[in-house]
Amino acid sequence: MFCNQCEQTAKGTGCTVKGVCGKTDETSAIQDLLIHVLAELGTVAVAAREEGIEIPSAVNLLTAEAVFSTLTNVNFDDERFIPIVKNVAAARDELAGKLKGGCSCGGVTKVGATAAELSKQGEAFSVNSFDENPDLRSLKQILIYGLKGVAAYVDHAAILGQQDPAVYAFLHEALAASLKPLGMEELVALCMKCGEVNLRAMELLDAGNTGTYGHPVPTEVPLGAKAGKAILVSGHDLKDLRAILEQTEGTGINVYTHGEMLPCHGYPELKKFNHFYGHYGTAWQNQLKEFAEFPGSILMTTNCIQKPSEKYIGDIYTTGLVGWPGVTHVLNGDFSEVIAKAKELPGFPADTDKGSVLCGFARNAVLGVADKVIDAVKAGDIRHFFLVGGCDGAKPGRNYYTEFVEKAPKDTIILTLACGKFRFFDKKLGDIGGIPRLLDIGQCNDAYSAVQIAVALAGAFECGVNELPLSFILSWYEQKAVSILLTLLHLGIKDIRIGPSLPAFITPNVLNFLVENFNIMPISTPDEDLKAILG
């Protein structure tokens, strides 16, 4: 086993025995095999498009789902990987049969029938097999890890009916590239294109979310509980949440969000459910303690699951691509089992008041007061904007983000998104002329909103984004953060600070390229970084 795709990788270099995330050696090898077989499918798909052969939509969707399933903290269930690997191999072979010259991937991997066989095969396809040259291997890893983030957004968007053939074409192109002997220049170009395509994928997801559930509006969300039976929804998927709300209406069960689901309270089509009550807990890495104390059933959508403890393994359910061995998986949006379990469990015995937080400051809400924001900047009331966001995690060093927000001067605005905000989401920072100093833009999935806010402000001030009084202070953990970073680089944004540590898969030479071209830098201390930015 060798896996270094997340920020918490063992010893800061790579997991070699068992993943820090809980992924076993066997699961890791199956995922490596799956990426290799996907690369073969990608090669065939590229050749098919060149011959004018239309790629079936089912193959496009399968590609996105399969890539997404290898993202950190999505699927840990080896048995559920078996049909995914087989379906990808079958799609590859069927498509290859349509080519004039047959398969164009330089050989076909015949996949095994059992999880043990797939795991044994996968040992030959770790990321270390990408290229002998460490710098080229590093760039291929950046590309593939970024692609995992893109695939996540593509899957989320497709669920809501938003698709673009060009995005799927790039998924296949980038997967195929992992098998090719490409040079530095070609791989850098592909990484930048990955950022461009990710922007499109996020735009599709934004269209799906806002077109289905309305544009988020500023909303105060209780952090306490309401007496009664309860269901907790975690992950990222709005469609699953809507289904839970519909299926629990009139049952007396209250629905709570956890983690990245907090911004869902701002969507008008979700807000209208009276039993959609509040938010419980914080970020994904605290779920072992928080889930054990939740008195209802729990549904995990998309990614972010950890190994459930014995205290609640019988109360948690997965859906979509999420999987954990021994956890009941719910199919086809039928959450009757989740609801039945919630009715069995005690629920909250009494109302509790733990304060509240504001969410719902997506692009429409912020740009709706853009004139006030612009006037405040011109008047000197707002000196600077900080986008402090990204993934949260358990490794030391993340208190930096809390301290940074606390120490940011009172004439600055904090924009935030993703689960990194749980380091400071409940801080009362006040306002500037009625504009809250802490603006929660949404999930990591809502990074498109942050980009649009920055672009709109740059247009209003007739300057580039890099000339705005705006600084990016990012935290990262998994591969969606890689794809978002590539999007920012594609847009030419410079001076990004990233932490708490730099990715283990970036070599010194690749890091030097990023520093020279984009002035990317690691975080230092809040005091030093604030002084460097503000002078």
Side-chain angles (χ1 to χ4, degrees):
M1 175 179 182
F2 183 81
C3 181
N4 63 358
Q5 69 179 10
C6 85
E7 189 268 335
Q8 293 184 183
T9 191
K11 299 179 181 179
T13 55
C15 295
T16 57
V17 179
K18 184 177 182 178
V20 172
C21 65
K23 181 168 61 177
T24 65
D25 179 29
E26 292 77 14
T27 304
S28 180
I30 293 173
Q31 292 184 7
D32 288 340
L33 173 64
L34 178 53
I35 290 295
H36 180 77
V37 178
L38 279 161
E40 293 178 340
L41 169 61
T43 304
V44 173
V46 169
R49 286 188 176 91
E50 290 174 350
E51 291 186 15
I53 298 171
E54 184 177 351
I55 309 300
S57 60
V59 173
N60 286 331
L61 285 169
L62 173 64
T63 302
E65 291 171 353
V67 174
F68 182 21
S69 68
T70 70
L71 186 143
T72 300
N73 289 21
V74 176
N75 187 11
F76 296 81
D77 192 338
D78 293 353
E79 293 301 314
R80 288 197 35 223
F81 271 111
I82 296 173
I84 298 174
V85 176
K86 288 184 175 180
N87 288 341
V88 171
R92 173 203 62 197
D93 294 345
E94 183 176 352
L95 197 55
K98 298 178 181 180
L99 296 177
K100 294 175 182 176
C103 179
S104 61
C105 52
V108 172
T109 304
K110 299 295 183 182
V111 300
T114 67
E117 291 172 351
L118 296 176
S119 177
K120 185 64 178 176
Q121 283 184 282
E123 292 174 3
F125 302 117
S126 81
V127 292
N128 288 327
S129 68
F130 279 179
D131 203 290
E132 292 183 0
N133 182 305
D135 295 326
L136 299 180
R137 183 167 64 246
S138 174
L139 287 167
K140 284 188 176 182
Q141 286 181 269
I142 293 171
L143 177 61
I144 293 299
Y145 297 159
L147 202 68
K148 293 186 181 191
V150 176
Y153 298 131
V154 169
D155 178 66
H156 297 330
I159 287 170
L160 296 173
Q162 295 289 327
Q163 300 186 64
D164 183 343
V167 173
Y168 292 115
F170 179 73
L171 290 182
H172 290 135
E173 178 188 359
L175 286 164
S178 68
L179 299 180
K180 295 179 180 178
L182 302 177
M184 181 82 74
E185 190 173 320
E186 293 169 299
L187 287 170
V188 166
L190 279 169
C191 287
M192 292 301 102
K193 186 175 179 181
C194 185
E196 178 183 5
V197 171
N198 185 59
L199 182 63
R200 174 60 178 152
M202 291 192 298
E203 180 184 23
L204 291 169
L205 176 56
D206 179 87
N209 284 337
T210 58
T212 307
Y213 307 107
H215 284 276
V217 296
T219 302
E220 193 166 346
V221 184
L223 298 178
K226 192 173 184 180
K229 304 292 185 177
I231 291 176
L232 186 64
V233 183
S234 190
H236 301 79
D237 196 278
L238 275 64
K239 187 174 182 178
D240 288 332
L241 175 60
R242 171 64 181 261
I244 281 278
L245 290 168
E246 289 176 339
Q247 292 171 36
T248 53
E249 197 165 22
T251 63
I253 298 172
N254 294 311
V255 177
Y256 298 80
T257 54
H258 174 268
E260 289 262 52
M261 298 300 284
L262 168 61
C264 296
H265 290 273
Y267 286 91
E269 289 300 308
L270 300 177
K271 283 167 59 71
K272 68 183 184 182
F273 291 91
N274 292 329
H275 62 301
F276 186 27
Y277 181 68
H279 186 77
Y280 173 90
T282 52
W284 67 272
Q285 78 277 2
N286 300 320
Q287 66 188 253
L288 290 177
K289 179 179 184 296
E290 293 172 352
F291 286 4
E293 296 173 352
F294 188 75
S297 56
I298 303 161
L299 177 68
M300 292 300 304
T301 73
T302 67
N303 52 313
C304 295
I305 193 170
Q306 287 184 296
K307 180 181 180 180
S309 74
E310 291 301 319
K311 291 182 179 179
Y312 64 86
I313 194 167
D315 305 332
I316 189 171
Y317 298 80
T318 60
T319 192
L321 296 175
V322 189
W324 193 281
V327 171
T328 301
H329 189 72
V330 179
L331 297 171
N332 303 320
D334 179 1
F335 298 113
S336 54
E337 287 188 71
V338 183
I339 295 167
K341 176 60 69 172
K343 291 178 179 179
E344 290 177 19
L345 294 167
F348 289 101
D351 293 354
T352 58
D353 184 357
K354 296 184 179 180
S356 62
V357 294
L358 278 170
C359 72
F361 292 97
R363 71 178 193 282
N364 263 31
V366 175
L367 296 180
V369 294
D371 55 340
K372 293 181 181 179
V373 173
I374 293 165
D375 289 344
V377 172
K378 290 180 177 178
D381 297 328
I382 297 177
R383 181 174 22 156
H384 206 86
F385 298 89
F386 295 105
L387 176 61
V388 185
C391 311
D392 204 359
K395 266 176 70 172
R398 292 182 181 267
N399 285 342
Y400 165 94
Y401 299 95
T402 309
E403 294 177 21
F404 188 98
V405 168
E406 290 175 336
K407 292 180 176 181
K410 292 184 178 180
D411 58 356
T412 62
I413 295 282
I414 309 294
L415 306 170
T416 190
L417 76 168
C419 63
K421 65 171 162 276
F422 288 108
R423 294 280 166 171
F424 49 81
F425 79 127
D426 55 354
K427 301 293 180 185
K428 304 304 180 185
L429 302 183
D431 65 87
I432 300 175
I435 301 167
R437 286 194 56 229
L438 180 60
L439 300 175
D440 182 358
I441 298 172
Q443 300 179 340
C444 61
N445 294 8
D446 298 314
Y448 180 76
S449 262
V451 170
Q452 293 306 305
I453 290 169
V455 170
L457 289 174
F461 287 108
E462 298 182 347
C463 67
V465 173
N466 290 314
E467 283 70 57
L468 284 172
L470 168 66
S471 298
F472 291 79
I473 316 294
L474 306 182
S475 56
W476 80 284
Y477 170 68
E478 43 93 325
Q479 297 81 66
K480 289 182 186 176
V482 179
S483 62
I484 291 171
L485 177 63
L486 291 177
T487 293
L488 296 177
L489 299 184
H490 155 70
L491 293 170
I493 294 173
K494 299 183 178 181
D495 304 325
I496 299 169
R497 285 171 166 80
I498 188 170
S501 61
L502 293 176
F505 50 83
I506 292 183
T507 61
N509 286 336
V510 173
L511 177 59
N512 186 56
F513 170 84
L514 294 174
V515 171
E516 287 185 352
N517 287 273
F518 301 99
N519 199 33
I520 281 184
M521 62 193 84
I523 57 173
S524 55
T525 69
D527 289 322
E528 290 173 357
D529 287 344
L530 282 166
K531 183 178 180 180
I533 294 167
L534 300 175

